[in-house]
Amino acid sequence: MKQNIYDNNTFFRKYQEIRAREHNYNILLEQPNFLALLPSLKNKIVLDIGCGVGDFAAYCLKLGAKYVTGIDISSNMIAHAKKHHVHDNLFFEQVAFEEMTVPAETIDFIGSSLAFHYIADFQLLIKKISTALCEGGVLLFSIEHPIVSANMGKDNWITTAEGNLLYFAIDNYQLEGLRTQHWLVDNVVKYHRTLSTIVNTLIEHGLQIEKMVEPIPTKDAVSNLQNLNREFRRPSFLIIRAKKQILTKM
Amino acid sequence: MKQNIYDNNTFFRKYQEIRAREHNYNILLEQPNFLALLPSLKNKIVLDIGCGVGDFAAYCLKLGAKYVTGIDISSNMIAHAKKHHVHDNLFFEQVAFEEMTVPAETIDFIGSSLAFHYIADFQLLIKKISTALCEGGVLLFSIEHPIVSANMGKDNWITTAEGNLLYFAIDNYQLEGLRTQHWLVDNVVKYHRTLSTIVNTLIEHGLQIEKMVEPIPTKDAVSNLQNLNREFRRPSFLIIRAKKQILTKM
């Protein structure tokens, strides 16, 4: 079942508050590492899965993409995106990727920032992505790191009585599937996959891994947001770039 | 600096005691998953890095390999291997792989079971492996999982006062390098690498990942060794099969 948490108005308001902060995990950690792995988008057909408010989709156009489509399950997000980013070659659609019909081998680049952990059927997701990509096309995505997503929604930093961090607790790593947690509101639904499931699913669908990043914050980032120091102790995010293999005709 | 812990006689005796047990982590968990990923070895030239007592090297010969060389830094191990496995096409040598001269593109398959975490220079290791492999050649290796190797030699299962496991503690994940721990004897030296370092090093040296396994025990295995139940909570091992890319001439 697909959860559309971003159309929960309490959630959306709180989410916008976090994102409006100058110093947050996205701006300081995930986005710079994600964007550093972008291939050339010059004249490319681009799809952004889980586009949110459309900033990344608009950015792809600035980088020279021919057409960019951003999709998101949330009407709040899509309304915001359509309002703030208007361009003839930029399209936003409220739809779940699982339900979208994409003609085979029509897309050069698929990007997705911190959205895949909301999607229940990872096999179907990657199968559809692989089908949609042209040969040599690139998928770039970031997700919650499996070390973090493994846990059952507990706060997993173990502290002393004084509140000093001792270590991060991990559990249930091999039990894949639904995780319900409190993040801004109760009952946010996410899905945990092991690292090997993520990697093997890509490979089985002809997507060859080119780069894997577990982001580390810069000194500047840590000086702006002290909590980022924790990233040296365990990673929050996993970013993977993979390329659809070119089948050589023998 | 290379540590040759297996030539510490106290360590070697204790190690042999563990390995002699019918039910241990190697027999019940690591080996079945490692062997399941073997490519066809029919008429292949094989190198086993960290061959220990030579059982796997001898097994490769049984599977049809043409020549098998097993190397290990420990004279205890090599003496044992030479004594127990005698065959015209089976060779054992006491040498560290870093110091071994291997002609380029002469080996079809390189296997290594739970040895790479003893090697300090992972870049050099993988570079030498990639050079030694023929095009299309396969590397199969198992290592301590980065979730486990991250910690600084502490016992990382956190328990209640009654001794029940609460969770596994992880820390220092991004701080790669030396880990000194007590395992059978004091001051066993290992090296921690993050998952992304392992994956990216392979890719940068032309080794394309084909499969990644974080082994889960079977029901039978757990009934023989109860502690294996912990493997569902966090993985002990990581197994990777990678293939040296065939460079297509354009």
Side-chain angles (χ1 to χ4, degrees), chain A residues 145 147 150-151 154 157-158 165-175 194-197 199-200 203-204 208-216 231-235 238 245 248, chain B residues 145 147 150-151 154 157-158 165-175 194-197 199-200 203-204 208-216 231-235 238 245 248:
Chain A
H145 198 290
I147 288 175
N151 296 289
K154 291 180 289 187
W157 283 109
I158 309 301
L165 298 190
L166 285 170
Y167 36 69
F168 188 80
I170 180 169
D171 207 346
N172 299 301
Y173 181 82
Q174 297 284 10
L175 306 176
T194 65
L195 198 94
S196 44
T197 290
V199 165
N200 293 332
I203 295 167
E204 283 155 20
Q208 182 180 333
I209 293 165
E210 292 194 317
K211 190 86 179 181
M212 185 180 283
V213 173
E214 296 164 301
I216 302 179
E231 296 302 308
F232 293 99
R233 308 183 69 171
R234 66 97 185 89
L238 176 69
Q245 284 188 287
T248 46
Chain B
H145 199 290
I147 289 176
N151 296 289
K154 292 180 291 188
W157 284 108
I158 310 301
L165 298 190
L166 285 171
Y167 37 69
F168 188 79
I170 180 169
D171 207 346
N172 299 300
Y173 182 82
Q174 297 285 10
L175 306 175
T194 65
L195 197 94
S196 43
T197 290
V199 165
N200 293 333
I203 295 167
E204 282 156 20
Q208 183 180 332
I209 293 165
E210 292 194 317
K211 190 86 182 180
M212 184 180 284
V213 173
E214 297 165 301
I216 302 178
E231 297 302 308
F232 292 99
R233 308 183 69 170
R234 67 97 187 88
L238 176 68
Q245 284 187 287
T248 46

Side-chain angles (χ1 to χ4, degrees), chain A residues 96-219:
Chain A
F97 181 65
E98 305 95 294
E99 282 157 19
M100 195 183 179
T101 311
V102 188
E105 307 200 2
T106 52
I107 301 175
D108 299 305
F109 172 72
I110 295 180
S112 180
S113 168
L114 299 176
F116 285 2
H117 45 251
Y118 293 118
I119 296 177
D121 192 338
F122 192 67
Q123 290 283 335
L124 176 66
L125 172 73
I126 298 302
K127 188 183 174 192
K128 285 197 74 164
I129 285 173
S130 178
T131 304
L133 281 175
C134 302
E135 281 194 13
V138 170
L139 167 67
L140 174 63
F141 68 98
S142 62
I143 46 167
E144 253 190 32
H145 198 290
I147 288 175
V148 173
S149 66
N151 296 289
M152 300 297 198
K154 291 180 289 187
D155 184 5
N156 292 298
W157 283 109
I158 309 301
T159 63
T160 63
E162 297 79 35
N164 297 318
L165 298 190
L166 285 170
Y167 36 69
F168 188 80
I170 180 169
D171 207 346
N172 299 301
Y173 181 82
Q174 297 284 10
L175 306 176
E176 299 191 310
L178 197 68
R179 299 291 190 269
T180 306
Q181 67 171 173
H182 181 90
W183 184 55
L184 308 182
V185 295
D186 279 336
N187 299 318
V188 176
V189 166
K190 294 182 183 174
Y191 296 88
H192 166 65
R193 258 81 63 161
T194 65
L195 198 94
S196 44
T197 290
I198 294 167
V199 165
N200 293 332
T201 304
L202 293 170
I203 295 167
E204 283 155 20
H205 290 92
L207 296 168
Q208 182 180 333
I209 293 165
E210 292 194 317
K211 190 86 179 181
M212 185 180 283
V213 173
E214 296 164 301
I216 302 179
T218 61
K219 268 191 183 173

Side-chain angles (χ1 to χ4, degrees), chain A residues 39-55:
Chain A
S40 164
L41 296 183
K42 197 84 191 151
N43 288 319
K44 301 292 188 190
I45 311 293
V46 171
L47 174 67
D48 178 5
I49 299 176
C51 66
V53 296
D55 294 350

Side-chain angles (χ1 to χ4, degrees), chain B residues 155-211:
Chain B
D155 185 3
N156 292 295
W157 284 108
I158 310 301
T159 62
T160 62
E162 295 79 35
N164 297 318
L165 298 190
L166 285 171
Y167 37 69
F168 188 79
I170 180 169
D171 207 346
N172 299 300
Y173 182 82
Q174 297 285 10
L175 306 175
E176 298 191 311
L178 197 69
R179 299 292 190 269
T180 307
Q181 66 171 171
H182 181 91
W183 183 56
L184 308 181
V185 297
D186 279 338
N187 300 319
V188 176
V189 166
K190 293 182 182 175
Y191 296 89
H192 167 65
R193 257 83 60 163
T194 65
L195 197 94
S196 43
T197 290
I198 294 167
V199 165
N200 293 333
T201 304
L202 294 169
I203 295 167
E204 282 156 20
H205 291 91
L207 297 168
Q208 183 180 332
I209 293 165
E210 292 194 317
K211 190 86 182 180

Side-chain angles (χ1 to χ4, degrees), chain B residues 35-49:
Chain B
L35 299 176
L37 295 184
L38 275 179
S40 163
L41 295 182
K42 196 86 191 154
N43 288 318
K44 301 292 187 191
I45 311 293
V46 171
L47 174 65
D48 179 5
I49 299 175

